[in-house]
Amino acid sequence: MTDPVLYDVADGVATITLNRPDAMNSLDVATKVALREATQEAARDDAVRCVVLTGSGRAFCVGQDLKEHVELLNSGSSEALFTTVEKHYNPIVTAIAEMPKPVIAAVNGVAAGAGASLAFACDLRIMATSAGFNLAFPGVALSCDTGASWTLPRLVGRAKAIELLYFPSTIPAADALALGLATRVVADEDLVAEVTALATKLASGPTLSYASMRASVNYASSHDFASSLVFEAEKMNFTGASADHRRAVDAFLAKEKPSFEGR
């Protein structure tokens, strides 16, 4: 049986690949469990300094596996149906959003529903030209999940977020870039090379600094200015006492290029 999620670590980069290409990388229970374990493992592993989330085949992820969903509905398995957000989606997106290292979504194809939400929780979204986003939730008469209510308005503003949620249609890569949903759009054949170069650069950088900036931005999005300044100061003091900071200052004075270890 093929693993529904592939997990590979090389040169400080953990690549998490949704691996159900025949099902457009839709999320059945087994895939959600494997994805939860992979994202949490990447967060724990000090050897991982950057994370890439992508899909196999022609889709990034089309969200919930509706075939399995219908089977559970018809079988009356309400416990499995109505606990999946708490058991699977929330822990997965929390691991991504609170990851103490940069996270890149390599959006190789359509990202719909929870698949789009997963990409929105990443720091950077590099999209193939043929890829697109679709907030497909109302098509199956469901609310949004996997953090979309939090991430989407912060990317495009409340009014546009409501519009995209109420009236879902596929947002092509070029439009996603214009809206701020994509960080960069590249030719399909260049996606792997582009993401590899970016992930390698981030993994060799001051990852403690990146994690602290990531945490500061997240904190500031839900706290007032004064509280955010206090949090910023804490993170500045934390990074200022790090070995990476000392290494960077010494390298600057010696007119050398610093090397970082994420400590």
Side-chain angles (χ1 to χ4, degrees):
M1 181 177 179
T2 303
D3 292 334
V5 174
L6 304 179
Y7 183 78
D8 176 71
V9 179
D11 299 323
V13 178
T15 301
I16 300 171
T17 306
L18 293 164
N19 190 40
R20 300 185 71 214
D22 293 342
M24 303 284 281
N25 298 320
S26 58
L27 301 167
D28 61 2
V29 170
T31 305
K32 285 180 282 191
V33 170
L35 183 57
R36 182 184 64 198
E37 292 175 352
T39 53
Q40 291 175 346
E41 174 61 24
R44 288 191 299 266
D45 189 351
D46 290 338
V48 172
R49 302 185 63 192
C50 182
V51 178
V52 173
L53 178 64
T54 193
S56 59
R58 62 192 180 93
F60 177 78
C61 173
V62 295
Q64 175 67 37
D65 184 325
L66 291 180
K67 182 178 179 180
E68 182 187 70
H69 187 80
V70 169
E71 290 173 354
L72 291 172
L73 274 176
N74 291 339
S75 68
S77 302
S78 59
E79 197 275 336
L81 272 177
F82 300 115
T83 60
T84 192
V85 170
E86 291 81 7
K87 285 184 176 180
H88 306 122
Y89 289 120
N90 286 354
I92 292 166
V93 77
T94 298
I96 293 171
E98 297 182 355
M99 188 79 64
K101 53 206 78 175
V103 187
I104 303 168
V107 186
N108 57 298
V110 64
S117 301
L118 290 172
F120 298 156
C122 298
D123 294 322
L124 305 168
R125 284 157 298 282
I126 312 302
M127 293 186 72
T129 304
S130 65
F133 291 119
N134 192 312
L135 280 303
F137 301 105
V140 287
L142 289 174
S143 183
C144 55
D145 63 18
T146 319
S149 63
W150 197 91
T151 54
L152 186 58
R154 286 164 173 79
L155 291 171
V156 300
R158 182 189 184 279
K160 179 56 70 172
I162 288 291
E163 179 186 352
L164 295 176
L165 287 166
Y166 280 8
F167 308 108
S169 62
T170 299
I171 305 163
D175 293 345
L177 182 63
L179 284 170
L181 293 174
T183 305
R184 196 177 304 166
V185 175
V186 300
D188 289 26
E189 62 270 21
D190 295 335
L191 181 66
V192 172
E194 186 82 12
V195 170
T196 299
L198 181 57
T200 300
K201 180 178 181 179
L202 287 169
S204 64
T207 47
L208 201 66
S209 170
Y210 297 151
S212 296
M213 288 188 286
R214 196 176 202 265
S216 293
V217 170
N218 285 346
Y219 185 92
S221 67
S222 56
H223 291 80
D224 62 27
F225 184 65
S227 299
S228 298
L229 289 181
V230 172
F231 191 88
E232 263 190 355
E234 292 173 356
K235 288 300 181 183
M236 181 59 76
N237 292 337
F238 173 65
T239 53
S242 69
D244 274 355
H245 173 63
R246 169 53 64 183
R247 190 175 291 108
V249 171
D250 290 344
F252 175 80
L253 293 175
K255 298 183 179 181
E256 298 172 349
K257 184 178 180 179
S259 61
F260 300 108
E261 296 180 358
R263 298 200 300 264

